[in-house]
Amino acid sequence: MQYDLIVIGSGPGGYVAAIRASQLKMKVAVIEKAELGGVCLNWGCIPTKSLLKSAQVLNYIRHSENYGIPIEGDVKADFGKVIARSRDAAATMSKGVQYLLKKNRIEHIEGFGKLSGQNSVEVTAGDNSKINLTAKHIIVATGARSRELPGLRQDGERIIGYRKAMTLDKLPESMIVVGSGAIGSEFAWFYASLGTRVTLVEYLPSVVPGEDKDISAQLGRSFKKMGITVLTGTSVEAAEINENGCTAHIKTKKGEETIEAEIILSAAGITPNTENIGLEDLGIEMEGSKVRVDEYYRTNSPGVCAIGDIVHGPALAHVSSAEGIVCVEKMAGLQPEPLNYKNIPSCTYTNPEIASVGMTEQEAKEQGIDFKIGKFPFTASGKASAAGERDGFVKLIFDAKYGELLGAHMIGANVTEMIAGIVVAKNLETTAHEIIKSVHPHPTMSEAIMEAAAAAYGEVIHL
């Protein structure tokens, strides 16, 4: 069958691209070998947020006396029901994607899609039967999977990846989490909140190493406060499975040590799914394990595009969706503006949450930029005090000459809901004084943005 567009993969890049193409009057098919919605909806963004919400509710109950609501007895989580709720959330969202595809007259084809020619895709169904489809355009959006580290091979029982971490049969007594990016930090916080004894191991000098140094330091303090053992500047050299769990051989600044745990969770990055999908057969250029594309996500093979985790850029769901829209609008003859990768928000849903966009302080220094910094702690926020969420701060970085907002870095309650407004402001080249003069509602967590801007220029406003 002939299509205008075939999309291989139904994650947040693939299904969004397909829907936008249908809106632009293209005849579209989506090929998916697993659940609709990809890793994000089924094994990433959505189910993990369900797990984290359960942990947050448990923490509220355990500290309810702080709010004047004493609860008698020991409160524990039903781990099985927490996991089941998470899986239900994922299933609901996957069904939502199915509805959207049907509503937009997009054909869903189950099976493994492989490029079989410049304008053709071979689909292998579950029974190994094959069909060949053709299209004027093809988008490869096959996503990524958990990266396996040398010496830390996952057996799916004792040494696991993020998928298994969402479906364990019982709550482990102890866990070593390897990698403190968003995935590792979120799982460390989740399991520690439910009562698991967690050791977080990070190769680089600080946790969430991609964040501003002040953010990393604050999260490290928060983790240690809740009882997580944080080992930075530490590598896992090897791991052994034994009768009671695992032994990890680690290398620290002080030398080599061994640590024991029931489970080891490997959360040190992802690997793009670019193998065995026909890229090499078409001579499509690669950059390491990722596909080389131009600013509109076109490969060197005419008619074939690639988006999401298999191309360079942040491996984030919202980035994949944005890339899919730009890609499709360009192939439809529109003139979309290329994505500005310097204005991509990043969120980590620990408690406290982290949200950031733009330059860090270190990056501004490295680029020789004359800048001003404004910080406002949530300890001085009326709303944060009333809510009992005083950990964290807002940190803004401005160009010293023109006052333009260069970066924003926040850690605290609900900051992932606050970052979008800063992304818009940064896109409009907003200055510190424009932020200061914009009336922010009181009392809110978001007024800390205004206060941080004022602090950069020595203007104390109010608590």
Side-chain angles (χ1 to χ4, degrees), residues 272-352:
N273 295 322
T274 53
E275 309 98 328
N276 306 315
I277 57 173
L279 297 171
E280 60 281 352
D281 297 334
L282 294 187
I284 291 176
E285 295 179 0
M286 305 290 291
E287 294 177 308
S289 60
K290 297 198 173 188
V291 180
R292 183 189 295 274
V293 294
D294 67 10
E295 60 186 352
Y296 296 110
Y297 310 102
R298 297 172 296 198
T299 71
N300 62 304
S301 181
V304 180
C305 297
I307 61 173
D309 296 354
I310 65 170
V311 303
H312 278 288
L316 301 169
H318 44 282
V319 174
S320 299
S321 297
E323 290 173 345
I325 291 171
V326 170
C327 177
V328 164
E329 289 184 348
K330 184 64 177 180
M331 70 174 58
L334 304 181
Q335 296 301 319
E337 185 176 337
L339 201 59
N340 178 9
Y341 287 95
K342 294 181 180 180
N343 197 27
I344 300 293
S346 176
C347 297
T348 302
Y349 299 84
T350 48
N351 187 6

Side-chain angles (χ1 to χ4, degrees), residues 17 30 35 84 98 107 120 158 210 238 242 312 316 323 353 358 370 386 421-422:
V30 170
E35 308 96 336
Q98 185 177 34
E107 187 172 352
S120 62
R158 292 295 187 180
N242 53 53
H312 278 288
L316 301 169
E323 290 173 345
E353 294 181 347
D370 187 15
I422 295 181

Side-chain angles (χ1 to χ4, degrees), residues 152-432:
L152 200 60
R153 297 299 177 189
Q154 298 172 22
D155 71 333
E157 295 296 329
R158 292 295 187 180
I159 303 176
I160 64 174
Y162 61 82
R163 288 196 181 212
K164 185 65 177 179
M166 282 183 269
T167 56
L168 288 175
D169 296 329
K170 66 181 184 69
L171 182 69
E173 291 185 7
S174 58
M175 176 182 285
I176 299 168
V177 179
V178 183
S180 71
I183 295 172
S185 290
E186 288 176 9
F187 275 118
W189 182 81
F190 167 73
Y191 277 104
S193 295
L194 266 63
T196 299
R197 188 172 69 257
V198 174
T199 300
L200 182 60
V201 179
E202 172 56 54
Y203 176 74
L204 293 173
S206 59
V207 295
V208 285
E211 298 292 342
D212 185 272
K213 62 181 180 65
D214 289 345
I215 297 292
S216 297
Q218 176 65 57
L219 186 65
R221 289 192 294 270
S222 296
F223 275 178
K224 290 174 184 177
K225 184 178 177 182
M226 70 180 296
I228 296 174
T229 300
V230 178
L231 302 177
T232 54
T234 301
S235 61
V236 176
E237 300 296 300
E240 301 162 358
I241 298 172
N242 53 53
E243 186 178 344
N244 299 317
C246 304
T247 300
H249 298 268
I250 62 173
K251 188 175 182 180
T252 72
K253 299 171 186 175
K254 298 178 181 179
E256 296 185 358
E257 302 176 24
T258 59
I259 50 177
E260 307 282 340
E262 187 178 334
I263 296 285
I264 297 177
L265 168 58
S266 180
I270 56 175
T271 297
N273 295 322
T274 53
E275 309 98 328
N276 306 315
I277 57 173
L279 297 171
E280 60 281 352
D281 297 334
L282 294 187
I284 291 176
E285 295 179 0
M286 305 290 291
E287 294 177 308
S289 60
K290 297 198 173 188
V291 180
R292 183 189 295 274
V293 294
D294 67 10
E295 60 186 352
Y296 296 110
Y297 310 102
R298 297 172 296 198
T299 71
N300 62 304
S301 181
V304 180
C305 297
I307 61 173
D309 296 354
I310 65 170
V311 303
H312 278 288
L316 301 169
H318 44 282
V319 174
S320 299
S321 297
E323 290 173 345
I325 291 171
V326 170
C327 177
V328 164
E329 289 184 348
K330 184 64 177 180
M331 70 174 58
L334 304 181
Q335 296 301 319
E337 185 176 337
L339 201 59
N340 178 9
Y341 287 95
K342 294 181 180 180
N343 197 27
I344 300 293
S346 176
C347 297
T348 302
Y349 299 84
T350 48
N351 187 6
E353 294 181 347
I354 295 171
S356 60
V357 65
M359 283 187 190
T360 64
E361 179 180 350
Q362 185 61 34
E363 288 170 341
K365 288 178 179 177
E366 289 172 355
Q367 294 181 33
I369 295 172
D370 187 15
F371 60 90
K372 289 181 177 289
I373 287 178
K375 289 180 71 174
F376 186 80
F378 284 121
T379 52
S381 163
K383 178 63 181 294
S385 292
E389 301 280 7
R390 303 179 76 220
D391 283 352
F393 56 85
V394 172
K395 176 178 180 178
L396 302 181
I397 301 172
F398 299 98
D399 175 80
K401 185 175 181 180
Y402 299 107
E404 182 181 343
L405 177 62
L406 300 177
H409 308 278
M410 304 185 291
I411 182 167
N414 301 318
V415 296
T416 59
E417 302 294 340
M418 292 159 50
I419 194 66
I422 295 181
V423 174
V424 173
K426 191 171 178 298
N427 196 49
L428 296 172
E429 299 181 347
T430 298
T431 67

Side-chain angles (χ1 to χ4, degrees), residues 423-443:
V423 174
V424 173
K426 191 171 178 298
N427 196 49
L428 296 172
E429 299 181 347
T430 298
T431 67
H433 292 293
E434 287 170 330
I435 294 174
I436 295 167
K437 298 304 179 184
S438 297
V439 178
H440 287 60
H442 176 78

Side-chain angles (χ1 to χ4, degrees), residues 5 16-28 328 331:
L5 172 64
V16 168
I19 291 171
R20 184 61 182 132
S22 179
Q23 292 172 346
L24 294 171
K25 311 305 180 186
M26 294 185 193
K27 184 178 181 180
V28 185
V328 164
M331 70 174 58

